[in-house]
Amino acid sequence: IVTYTATDASNNSSTCSFNVVVVDDSNPVLNNCPADITISANGSCEARATWTPPTASDNCTELTVTSSHQPGDLFPVGTTRVTYTATDASGNISTCAFNIIVRETTAPVFTNCPADITVAADDACQATLTWSLPVVSDPCGATVLTSDHAPGDVFALGTTVVTYTATDESDNISTCTFRVIVTDQTAPVISGCPDSDIVVSAGESCQASVHWIPPAASDNCGAVTLTSSHSPGEIFHFGSTQVTYTATDNHGNR
């Protein structure tokens, strides 16, 4: 309180008073706030983190420092925010915050990954396949399972690698792969083979030139090579001669 007093010659006096109020409006200072801490989870999907607490100071009064967590606490997988709060006697507050990042380093585990599947192609030279989905587990929670093929897909002739990918919440990845092998096991088809044996009369040299319409060959999976033991127009000697046509596809079926 500041007081002014006025007094005249007859000792009459008057006073004037007012307050000078000094307030603390400066926030406390937190020094050496820890940086973010990244650690690996244990088998129980948690981790114990330690750090050096920040120091606090204030220009006027004693401080109260509180924290949401303490060094040595256990933290779950994921990101946890740790906050320190310094409060002085005038109610001024400062905070310091950093993250505890617990990462799971164990990849998901596949069980019952399908074995390679071999199947014969159908008439369209492809195959529709089904299989039991693999099972995936992870010690620390959910996983996302993706695949480049699904049961019921149609597979072309040849070998296709099917891959399942499991990704957990910490981006650890495991894969399960197997092969789908579609084989051509269907023999080519020969059509237009002469319906019956050909009987001709021998000429003066006891032989004959014989003609016929060659058969055609087709295959469900592509090109066919058609060979014959004899060709139309050849000279045949007296007696019986077996004429054989052989159709062979690209995969050795005949």
Side-chain angles (χ1 to χ4, degrees):
I1 298 175
V2 177
T3 302
Y4 280 85
T5 303
T7 305
D8 62 17
S10 299
N11 288 325
N12 297 303
S13 63
S14 292
T15 62
C16 161
S17 298
F18 60 92
N19 294 321
V20 174
V21 182
V22 180
V23 297
D24 175 14
D25 57 4
S26 296
N27 291 329
V29 176
L30 284 165
N31 299 300
N32 302 317
C33 190
D36 290 350
I37 300 172
T38 300
I39 49 180
S40 297
N42 59 24
S44 299
C45 296
E46 58 187 3
R48 195 176 301 278
T50 60
W51 61 89
T52 301
T55 58
S57 61
D58 190 72
N59 62 331
C60 291
T61 61
E62 295 293 328
L63 292 172
T64 301
V65 179
T66 60
S67 177
S68 59
H69 299 82
Q70 300 298 323
D73 282 355
L74 282 171
F75 292 84
V77 169
T79 300
T80 302
R81 190 77 165 166
V82 176
T83 302
Y84 278 85
T85 302
T87 307
D88 65 18
S90 298
N92 298 301
I93 295 175
S94 289
T95 61
C96 151
F98 59 96
N99 294 318
I100 302 295
I101 304 166
V102 179
R103 295 197 177 277
E104 178 195 357
T105 58
T106 302
V109 176
F110 276 101
T111 55
N112 299 325
C113 189
D116 291 348
I117 302 172
T118 300
V119 64
D122 58 21
D123 290 341
C125 201
Q126 58 189 16
T128 301
L129 292 182
T130 61
W131 59 84
S132 298
L133 295 178
V135 177
V136 63
S137 60
D138 188 78
C140 295
T143 59
V144 176
L145 184 64
T146 59
S147 178
D148 52 5
H149 294 85
D153 280 358
V154 176
F155 292 83
L157 187 73
T159 299
T160 302
V161 177
V162 178
T163 302
Y164 279 87
T165 303
T167 306
D168 65 19
E169 294 176 341
S170 296
D171 291 330
N172 298 300
I173 294 176
S174 290
T175 59
C176 149
T177 62
F178 60 95
R179 297 182 301 165
V180 172
I181 305 165
V182 180
T183 61
D184 177 14
Q185 300 179 20
T186 302
V189 175
I190 296 178
S191 58
C193 196
D195 292 334
S196 59
D197 294 342
I198 301 173
V199 178
V200 295
S201 298
E204 293 180 355
S205 59
C206 205
Q207 57 187 13
S209 175
V210 182
H211 294 269
W212 64 87
I213 298 174
S218 61
D219 188 71
N220 65 328
C221 288
V224 181
T225 300
L226 184 63
T227 60
S228 176
S229 59
H230 299 81
S231 299
E234 283 191 17
I235 301 298
F236 289 82
H237 294 285
F238 177 76
S240 295
T241 301
Q242 181 79 41
V243 177
T244 302
Y245 278 86
T246 302
T248 307
D249 65 18
N250 290 337
H251 303 98
N253 299 300
R254 62 174 58 191

